[in-house]
Amino acid sequence: MIRTYRKTATIKAEQFDYEKWVHMRHDAYPMVFGDTAKDGGMMATNPVIPTLEGDMRVHDGDWIATGVNGEHWPIADDVFRKTYAKLPVISRVWADTIEEYKANHYRLSEIFTEWDLGYGGQEVIARAWLDGYQVEADK
């Protein structure tokens, strides 16, 4: 029987910019390599990423993903946008609240009954609880 699955790992990703790579090389994307010139230096052509499956070409606009073990791989922009979504950005107060409720084995619904989250707040907190989150920068 065919079953339906979803990805559960959280990754970090950065969109590859060929022009930035050409000018900044390893400072911009240290995991991306190019062809070797006859003098042994780097040429700004054919950017590739060493992956667990071998070297893979990365194209302008592709995303460079970093997995949970620090491994890298390229993902075409259209595939990336269909597969991944940004984690919600929440305040430090909400991040601490989620962590406290989880540590004390409370249910997600208890946040909703105890706190007034306002319009749309429940969806953001539920996504953060289930998928993870980013804490907004202090101002």
Side-chain angles (χ1 to χ4, degrees):
M1 173 205 271
I2 296 176
R3 297 180 187 259
T4 303
Y5 295 88
R6 70 179 178 86
K7 292 183 178 186
T8 57
T10 300
I11 65 164
K12 293 185 178 188
E14 177 180 6
Q15 196 164 26
F16 183 71
D17 179 335
Y18 181 80
E19 289 300 319
K20 181 177 171 183
W21 179 73
V22 167
H23 296 293
M24 297 178 70
R25 304 266 168 83
H26 296 292
D27 292 336
Y29 308 98
M31 73 291 288
V32 179
F33 301 95
D35 291 338
T36 305
K38 290 181 181 179
D39 65 2
M42 291 295 294
M43 294 175 27
T45 58
N46 298 320
V48 296
I49 298 175
T51 73
L52 298 176
E53 290 81 28
D55 290 351
M56 295 183 74
R57 176 101 157 81
V58 61
H59 300 89
D60 194 37
D62 287 354
W63 291 82
I64 300 172
T66 303
V68 295
N69 296 318
E71 71 280 15
H72 302 287
W73 68 95
I75 305 171
D77 183 53
D78 61 332
V79 173
F80 182 85
R81 293 181 188 280
K82 291 176 189 173
T83 309
Y84 296 96
K86 288 182 185 177
L87 292 178
V89 177
I90 61 174
S91 69
R92 169 55 53 203
V93 171
W94 278 115
D96 291 344
T97 301
I98 288 172
E99 296 309 316
E100 176 188 342
Y101 274 57
K102 284 184 172 187
N104 290 304
H105 307 287
Y106 293 122
R107 294 185 308 260
L108 172 60
S109 63
E110 293 176 272
I111 287 181
F112 299 150
T113 57
E114 193 168 322
W115 296 86
D116 178 15
L117 297 170
Y119 180 75
Q122 287 186 349
E123 289 81 5
V124 172
I125 297 304
R127 286 273 53 100
W129 179 286
L130 296 170
D131 298 336
Y133 53 84
Q134 299 178 77
V135 176
E136 68 185 3
D138 293 330
K139 297 179 170 124

